[in-house]
Amino acid sequence: MECAKALRLFDSLKIMCFKRREFSNLLTGYVIPAVFNVWKRQQQCLLNSIKDNPICIASDMRVDSPGHSGLFGSGSSLDVDRNIILDTQVVKSTEVKNSNAMELESLKRQLAYLEQSDVNVKKLVTDRHSQVSSYLAQEKPDIEHAYDVWHVAKEYIQTIQEECLKLRNDFSTLKKAISHSKELPPEEPVTLVEKYLDGKQRKPKSDIVAAKHSRFTQLALPGVDEDHCDCSGKCATRRCKCKNELRKCKSACDCKKEACKNV
């Protein structure tokens, strides 16, 4: 507690004061309930004022210790236009799989509470947490998801620093760097979003499906492979391509002719 040092000082100076347990009882019985009731009344007034209006919120979580060993996490929702906190949810690491999953659980509770209060969340701004991005893409597609500018800029700053180090190694003086830059043709301007998404687009679904195989070693898309089998057994199960397609093995098949039973 914050009062521990003061209580130890009073105790060493023989100054009469309440003990730590009494202080904890005062907090539990009076201070915390009073603060909680005031916050709930103010929160309800805020939610009633923005009810049924599309809003943009920003959400992030604070953890009681750095790294991935936090015990408690406190996630808050901020109304970006009005600059006010709408909700705060506290999550304990034992409630989820690990401490890294506390942020997603906190966000779920925040969105659930806002939905119960008839608050229309149109846009949500978060950091680049992979679990949060996946959850919003799959479970909340109607909410527009955006990354915080600071996290996007952080990646570009690191990239710029790496490129500057390369240029410093290649060109020892500024004069050489300027002369080299004049020889380069000007590039076409691209937007910041295009730069960020460059190389990060997902493959088309047809390409992903074509690369997968079925459980019977048959390609997921028909007509890609040849119509003969190369079994090393008796061609008696559906693992055999010919048996799976309800046809007899032919002379073009690479299976063992003396052991084949699908003839």
Side-chain angles (χ1 to χ4, degrees):
M1 291 183 181
E2 296 293 337
C3 67
K5 294 182 179 180
L7 292 178
R8 285 201 300 268
L9 175 63
F10 292 159
D11 186 56
S12 61
L13 297 176
K14 305 300 181 181
I15 299 176
M16 296 295 296
C17 185
F18 50 78
K19 300 299 181 182
R20 182 181 298 183
R21 177 173 294 182
E22 185 178 358
F23 178 73
S24 178
N25 293 336
L26 291 174
L27 286 179
T28 306
Y30 297 97
V31 179
I32 294 178
V35 173
F36 183 78
N37 291 333
V38 172
W39 158 244
K40 277 298 180 183
R41 287 198 298 267
Q42 183 180 4
Q43 183 186 32
Q44 195 61 40
C45 294
L46 292 174
L47 296 178
N48 290 335
S49 63
I50 61 175
K51 186 178 294 185
D52 298 327
N53 294 327
I55 63 172
C56 173
I57 65 173
S59 177
D60 200 4
M61 189 183 71
R62 300 172 299 278
V63 187
D64 58 348
S65 62
H68 299 275
S69 60
L71 182 61
F72 289 96
S74 174
S76 301
S77 299
L78 172 71
D79 188 347
V80 177
D81 297 328
R82 299 168 181 82
N83 197 25
I84 54 176
I85 297 295
L86 300 179
D87 185 35
T88 299
Q89 296 289 338
V90 179
V91 182
K92 193 175 182 180
S93 60
T94 55
E95 301 179 22
V96 291
K97 183 171 60 176
N98 50 45
S99 58
N100 192 38
M102 289 193 298
E103 184 165 357
L104 176 59
E105 180 64 25
S106 176
L107 179 63
K108 289 181 179 179
R109 296 181 184 181
Q110 295 169 41
L111 294 177
Y113 181 78
L114 294 177
E115 289 177 359
Q116 292 176 1
S117 303
D118 298 329
V119 176
N120 183 15
V121 179
K122 190 67 176 178
K123 186 175 183 179
L124 176 62
V125 182
T126 65
D127 56 10
R128 300 173 61 189
H129 197 284
S130 57
Q131 295 180 0
V132 172
S133 302
S134 177
Y135 169 75
L136 292 175
Q138 298 177 6
E139 303 295 335
K140 302 290 183 180
D142 53 331
I143 299 179
E144 182 183 354
H145 183 213
Y147 289 140
D148 184 13
V149 177
W150 183 85
H151 290 86
V152 178
K154 181 181 178 182
E155 180 183 2
Y156 281 105
I157 291 174
Q158 294 176 351
T159 305
I160 292 173
Q161 290 176 347
E162 293 174 358
E163 294 297 330
C164 289
L165 290 176
K166 292 180 182 179
L167 291 175
R168 185 177 180 181
N169 295 330
D170 296 339
F171 307 101
S172 57
T173 62
L174 182 61
K175 185 176 180 180
K176 292 182 179 180
I178 294 175
S179 61
H180 175 72
S181 62
K182 292 180 179 179
E183 299 175 358
L184 297 177
E187 298 182 357
E188 296 183 1
V190 294
T191 63
L192 183 63
V193 176
E194 292 175 349
K195 280 187 176 181
Y196 180 74
L197 296 178
D198 185 24
K200 297 184 179 181
Q201 291 87 350
R202 294 190 61 184
K203 295 181 179 179
K205 189 175 181 180
S206 58
D207 297 346
I208 298 176
V209 174
K212 293 183 178 180
H213 291 72
S214 68
R215 56 182 295 188
F216 302 116
T217 68
Q218 181 183 4
L219 290 178
L221 290 181
V224 178
D225 201 4
E226 299 179 359
D227 56 349
H228 64 82
C229 67
D230 54 354
C231 304
S232 59
K234 300 179 181 180
C235 300
T237 64
R238 294 185 64 186
R239 290 183 178 274
C240 174
K241 189 179 301 182
C242 299
K243 184 77 173 180
N244 183 39
E245 296 179 0
L246 303 179
R247 54 183 172 81
K248 302 295 183 180
C249 293
K250 301 182 295 186
S251 58
C253 295
D254 296 332
C255 58
K256 296 181 179 180
K257 299 297 187 295
E258 63 277 4
C260 180
K261 293 186 177 182
N262 187 32
V263 293

